[in-house]
Amino acid sequence: MLQYPHLEQALKYHFGYDNFRPGQRQIIEDALQNRDLLVIMPTGGGKSLCFQLPALIKKGLTVVVSPLIALMQDQVEALRNNNIPATFLNSSVNPYKVRSREEAIRNGKIKLLYIAPERLLSEKFLPFLDLVHHQVGVSTFAIDEAHCVSEWGHDFRPEYRQLKSLRRRYPGVPTIALTATATDRVRSDIIQQLGLKQPSIHLASFNRQNLYYEVRSKSKTAYAEILALIREIDGSAIVYCLTRKKVDELTFKLQNDKIAALPYHAGLSDEERVKNQNRFIRDDVRVIVATIAFGMGINKPDVRLVIHFDLPRNLESYYQESGRAGRDNEPSRCTMFFSYSDIKTIEWSINQKTDPQEQLIAKQQLRQVIDYAEGTDCRRTIQLGYFGERFPGNCGNCDNCCYPKPLEDWTIEAMKFLSCVARCQEKFGMLHIIDVLRGVKSKRITQYKHDQLSTYGIGQDKSVDEWRILGRSLLHQGLLQQTNDGYSVLKLNALSWEVMKRKRQVFIVVPVAQKISLVEGTEKAVQPELFQRLRWLRKQLADEQSVPPYVVFPDATLRLMAQIQPQSLAEFAQLSGVGSHKLAQYGKKFLGEITAYTQEQGVTPQQNYTTASISAEKKIFTTPRDTELITLRLHQEGLTVAQIAHKRNLSPSTIINHLSQLMAKNQPIDLNKLVPLEHQQKIWQVLEVLGDISLTPVKEQLGEDYTYDEIRLVREKWRRKNRE
């Protein structure tokens, strides 16, 4: 297999990150070998990088198919802020800019083009793409949100089906299909519909470890709980509702309580929706209250809270919507409010469908959501099981694992309930059974003479909700059945009779309201005041450029700044998230804010240096690690890279990495033992001309006689000289 030792350098240079996330490197290596790929990676897992980095390394244009205008704009803004040549073409671009951008594409000045499928496949655009392919070359088609190609996906779009024609028109161009969620059926559909040839399939875990999942009962205090949750977090929140009316009502209440909130739903004009969404993305408001139409087109990584005020329609949608929290892998919360009135609302909507098969699928999906909401198992076990992924439970980051709910013995009540079903001859639904148990005097009950049954009125000690909880629990435990013909008639089974004959006990979960804080320690060693000052500076810089704040730096990098408090550009450059372009663009401004803070607090630079040196958790080191010191000792003994690697049972590339890191940390590495003097001088000359860039352009300039390892080591010495 081909090796790409320079990928980490390219990653740090262009995007500012020291290491790849799980799975990314293998995907990128496959992409560089021009293979077709199917990448299923959860929201926040780093899908975009899997085609963005290869696009910068490969020759030609990478065409990214994206279904949403806002998503294109967000990604292009973020790329351009890293000095990466990217652009988009969609209906928001005027004809003059279209011509200008097309000219830049033809001249090879653009590496990534984002475009909607309708425009890409139009009769006007395809001839232009033919010309680009002839002059510049199309290196890859990246199909984002690839689940849209499948009728079995949660967001099917017919125009995605036509993308298969790209394979016929450009047979030699590889395709990368990417999605955050896809069941087995959807995966097979994607491969077939896009005509992928023996694709390399990369299936990452769907487990979002940083997200805390909880389900709360939607009681009369629900709004007060939402208000408290929003006030607790230090960041943005999304609140989802089923209807426009609820969106408007909740937004009004939040605004009255001095929460900066805006609505988002189809009842607003296009202009107002875009305006509200942009204000949320740019941190002008903290909260967006929306119908489920919101969020597919944004890439805001610092959402700390996603609330479903109403029940979602299916688990796949819930995974997507709740997954808009914590895309930066910082601790975030996903709260669902659950009430049985929501079920009725969704059931009514399902019953409006004209296709019986669609109704059946929708009802099955609703049942899975209810199972999740009422489930007492680990939330991740239920959620990941839906995608065919096994999870052992005890995640330690959901309500059921952190606060196991008490079980109560409701065998007597279950016997009453099942007996009532039997005496009503298994011909009625749950609400009718509950009315009989509670002794309701309704026309329907008297019509069927159910007020004369022995079970009439024997359940007046329990509320409607309590009986409903029992009924649902009996269904989930398999102690009762329900027809799927749209009428939801309750039916007894063999286990039902075991309960009624006292051969089986019935335990149900008793709902208990819990006040739960986010993962403790998330602000450990971070100065809250400095963090807020850095956020204000970030907001100011973002507004000046008309970009979202996270495009400048993500929250995680700001937290590192507040924790490490670097005092020089060299220290600042070591922070995860700081690439070469952002170092030059923002380094001095953020250092100025940090320096002002440390002076006000009376903290000396040496104290900050010590803080940095012990921050192993974030892989920011200003003193060598033990493994690097062992390599240093062997190097000083005169061993070659190959000899050190053999002696330590490590790869030569790992030893080169140690030596490079040791040089960066001002350790005594003798470069003359590693790189011939003539090669050093030539590499140095090229770096003086090209500047601090990734290794590949330097290697292309020097030719085959020079290795990436030589270039990397000389570049580290060159960097040190330029920092002094």
Side-chain angles (χ1 to χ4, degrees):
M1 179 180 289
L2 291 174
Q3 298 295 317
Y4 297 92
H6 61 287
L7 288 180
E8 276 76 12
Q9 287 80 29
L11 176 70
K12 178 63 177 175
Y13 178 78
H14 291 294
F15 297 96
Y17 299 110
D18 299 311
N19 300 291
F20 289 104
R21 292 186 185 179
Q24 282 182 328
R25 199 182 207 282
Q26 182 60 54
I27 295 168
I28 291 166
E29 287 183 355
D30 283 354
L32 291 174
Q33 293 181 48
N34 292 323
R35 295 192 62 177
D36 281 355
L37 302 175
L38 173 57
V39 178
I40 298 103
M41 188 177 282
T43 301
K47 290 189 302 298
S48 298
L49 189 78
C50 293
F51 62 80
Q52 289 172 348
L53 191 58
L56 299 175
I57 297 172
K58 294 170 72 173
K59 292 181 179 179
L61 176 74
T62 291
V63 178
V64 185
V65 180
S66 179
L68 297 154
I69 290 176
L71 188 62
M72 296 182 203
Q73 293 171 339
D74 278 359
Q75 293 213 356
V76 169
E77 280 178 352
L79 288 167
R80 293 178 70 84
N81 207 259
N82 278 316
N83 204 33
I84 293 169
T87 193
F88 61 85
L89 292 174
N90 58 39
S91 57
S92 71
V93 183
N94 65 46
Y96 172 77
K97 287 185 176 179
V98 168
R99 288 193 296 273
S100 173
R101 293 178 185 187
E102 287 182 346
E103 184 179 353
I105 292 167
R106 279 200 316 273
N107 292 333
K109 295 180 179 178
I110 300 295
K111 295 297 292 181
L112 289 124
L113 167 65
Y114 284 73
I115 191 167
E118 301 91 337
R119 190 183 193 103
L120 171 62
L121 299 173
S122 66
E123 293 181 3
K124 184 177 179 182
F125 188 80
L126 281 173
F128 168 75
L129 193 61
D130 290 341
L131 180 63
V132 172
H133 189 40
H134 176 71
Q135 292 181 344
V136 180
V138 175
S139 65
T140 307
F141 289 110
I143 315 297
D144 206 5
E145 309 293 344
H147 59 269
C148 294
V149 80
S150 173
E151 288 180 333
W152 297 98
H154 63 279
D155 192 31
F156 174 59
R157 303 195 178 206
E159 60 272 12
Y160 259 64
R161 294 273 191 170
Q162 301 166 28
L163 291 170
K164 193 172 185 178
S165 63
L166 293 173
R167 176 47 44 91
R168 294 190 293 270
R169 194 174 187 114
Y170 308 101
V173 179
T175 297
I176 304 177
L178 308 103
T179 180
T181 55
T183 59
D184 286 339
R185 191 167 199 168
V186 173
R187 290 170 212 159
S188 299
D189 220 10
I190 290 171
I191 293 170
Q192 181 185 350
Q193 295 299 331
L194 293 178
L196 302 184
K197 298 175 185 174
Q198 298 179 320
S200 174
I201 300 173
H202 296 267
L203 177 60
S205 171
F206 288 96
N207 185 11
R208 300 282 307 284
Q209 295 178 347
N210 61 311
L211 300 185
Y212 177 87
Y213 294 102
E214 66 172 346
V215 179
R216 300 187 180 196
S217 175
K218 192 196 288 186
S219 63
K220 292 178 181 178
T221 64
Y223 173 72
E225 291 178 53
I226 288 174
L227 194 60
L229 286 168
I230 291 171
R231 284 174 172 164
E232 278 178 18
I233 63 162
D234 184 14
S236 303
I238 301 173
V239 184
Y240 285 109
C241 302
L242 274 176
T243 65
R244 302 175 192 178
K245 182 182 178 184
K246 284 190 181 178
V247 167
D248 290 334
E249 287 175 356
L250 201 52
T251 304
F252 179 75
K253 282 185 176 182
L254 290 170
Q255 290 172 344
N256 266 0
D257 282 309
K258 311 301 181 191
I259 300 292
L262 287 173
Y264 186 100
H265 57 67
L268 304 174
S269 67
D270 290 347
E271 183 181 354
E272 192 170 2
R273 279 202 308 276
V274 171
K275 180 182 176 184
N276 289 357
Q277 177 168 291
N278 285 339
R279 290 191 65 194
F280 176 67
I281 290 171
R282 294 180 180 179
D283 287 351
D284 294 328
V285 295
R286 286 185 62 208
V287 180
I288 199 92
V289 186
T291 52
I292 57 171
F294 176 78
M296 286 300 292
I298 68 165
N299 188 33
K300 187 172 172 58
D302 54 355
V303 174
R304 293 285 157 257
L305 172 67
V306 172
I307 295 173
H308 278 76
F309 188 57
D310 298 318
L311 206 61
R313 295 175 186 275
N314 56 66
L315 274 183
E316 194 161 347
S317 295
Y318 178 67
Y319 180 84
Q320 279 274 21
E321 291 153 14
S322 62
R324 284 162 198 150
R327 289 187 173 201
D328 54 5
N329 285 320
E330 294 289 302
S332 305
R333 183 198 294 267
C334 306
T335 301
M336 180 197 294
F337 284 88
F338 176 53
S339 86
Y340 291 98
S341 60
D342 290 346
I343 297 172
K344 283 298 169 189
T345 303
I346 296 174
E347 284 178 339
W348 180 88
S349 175
I350 291 171
N351 289 333
Q352 307 312 302
K353 295 179 181 291
T354 55
D355 186 335
Q357 181 65 20
E358 282 187 20
Q359 278 196 8
L360 198 63
I361 293 170
K363 286 178 180 177
Q364 182 183 11
Q365 290 174 331
L366 176 59
R367 167 64 46 213
Q368 290 163 337
V369 172
I370 297 167
D371 285 343
Y372 173 82
E374 291 191 332
T376 57
D377 293 326
C378 168
R379 299 285 178 202
R380 281 174 169 76
T381 298
I382 303 171
Q383 205 177 89
L384 301 180
Y386 175 80
F387 296 107
E389 181 178 343
R390 289 187 177 183
F391 187 79
N394 298 318
C395 72
N397 203 23
C398 77
D399 54 350
N400 285 345
C401 290
C402 294
Y403 301 89
K405 298 178 179 69
L407 293 172
E408 287 190 5
D409 187 341
W410 277 46
T411 306
I412 299 299
E413 287 80 3
M415 291 171 64
K416 291 178 181 179
F417 191 100
L418 296 171
S419 178
C420 191
V421 172
R423 293 182 187 281
C424 291
Q425 299 181 329
E426 301 176 61
K427 292 181 179 179
F428 296 87
M430 190 176 295
L431 284 179
H432 183 84
I433 300 300
I434 293 171
D435 283 348
V436 173
L437 287 167
R438 298 192 73 246
V440 173
K441 294 178 180 178
S442 69
K443 185 177 179 180
R444 196 161 186 250
I445 286 177
T446 55
Q447 175 188 343
Y448 288 102
K449 298 183 180 181
H450 287 169
D451 54 340
Q452 298 174 24
L453 297 175
S454 59
T455 52
Y456 180 75
I458 64 171
Q460 294 182 17
D461 58 325
K462 301 294 182 187
S463 68
V464 173
D465 281 347
E466 286 174 317
W467 280 118
R468 191 183 275 120
I469 288 170
L470 172 62
R472 294 287 180 187
S473 187
L474 291 171
L475 287 167
H476 297 152
Q477 293 182 52
L479 307 177
L480 181 66
Q481 290 177 309
Q482 192 175 45
T483 60
N484 289 320
D485 56 2
Y487 297 99
S488 301
V489 172
L490 297 179
K491 299 286 185 180
L492 302 176
N493 58 26
L495 296 179
S496 309
W497 290 102
E498 285 186 19
V499 173
M500 286 191 280
K501 291 175 182 178
R502 293 180 179 270
K503 293 182 178 179
R504 179 182 291 271
Q505 286 184 293
V506 176
F507 293 88
I508 71 166
V509 170
V510 180
V512 175
Q514 292 283 356
K515 186 182 186 313
I516 305 163
S517 296
L518 274 179
V519 179
E520 294 180 5
T522 57
E523 292 294 329
K524 182 177 68 176
V526 174
Q527 299 298 324
E529 182 186 340
L530 176 56
F531 178 64
Q532 291 302 330
R533 285 173 62 161
L534 294 173
R535 288 186 75 182
W536 278 110
L537 174 60
R538 177 181 69 173
K539 180 75 170 80
Q540 180 184 337
L541 293 170
D543 287 347
E544 288 172 1
Q545 300 172 69
S546 296
V547 297
Y550 67 80
V551 167
V552 176
F553 283 120
D555 276 4
T557 302
L558 293 191
R559 283 196 172 89
L560 277 181
M561 291 181 200
Q563 179 182 346
I564 306 303
Q565 297 173 24
Q567 297 294 312
S568 68
L569 285 174
E571 288 182 26
F572 193 85
Q574 296 299 312
L575 298 175
S576 178
V578 179
S580 57
H581 184 67
K582 288 188 177 182
L583 176 66
Q585 192 172 9
Y586 305 121
K588 289 181 180 178
K589 294 175 182 176
F590 279 90
L591 275 178
E593 192 69 37
I594 293 166
T595 302
Y597 171 82
T598 55
Q599 288 174 350
E600 291 168 16
Q601 300 296 315
V603 182
T604 66
Q606 182 58 43
Q607 286 174 293
N608 293 322
Y609 183 87
T610 304
T611 304
S613 68
I614 63 172
S615 185
E617 181 184 352
K618 294 294 185 179
K619 294 184 171 52
I620 304 298
F621 302 98
T622 54
T623 56
R625 295 176 294 166
D626 289 344
T627 185
E628 292 169 350
L629 289 173
I630 295 171
T631 296
L632 175 61
R633 176 172 55 80
L634 294 172
H635 166 74
Q636 291 175 330
E637 290 175 4
L639 274 67
T640 65
V641 170
Q643 289 169 334
I644 297 172
H646 179 73
K647 190 176 184 68
R648 298 202 58 196
N649 197 26
L650 296 171
S651 69
S653 62
T654 299
I655 301 304
I656 290 292
N657 182 58
H658 288 174
L659 295 167
S660 177
Q661 292 295 320
L662 288 163
M663 291 177 70
K665 296 166 188 176
N666 296 317
Q667 297 302 307
I669 298 297
D670 187 351
L671 191 61
N672 294 331
K673 290 181 180 179
L674 301 168
V675 183
L677 188 59
E678 182 184 344
H679 278 211
Q680 287 185 48
Q681 293 170 344
K682 185 65 176 176
I683 294 168
W684 195 283
Q685 290 172 5
V686 173
L687 287 170
E688 287 290 319
V689 174
L690 296 181
D692 192 349
I693 61 172
S694 61
L695 301 179
T696 304
V698 181
K699 178 82 163 63
E700 289 174 353
Q701 185 76 20
L702 290 164
E704 294 300 318
D705 292 338
Y706 294 79
T707 68
Y708 282 110
D709 291 343
E710 289 177 335
I711 299 168
R712 182 179 181 188
L713 292 168
V714 174
R715 185 182 64 176
E716 201 54 63
K717 182 177 180 180
W718 180 82
R719 281 175 171 173
R720 276 179 54 185
K721 180 180 181 300
N722 281 277
R723 287 176 192 147
E724 293 169 357

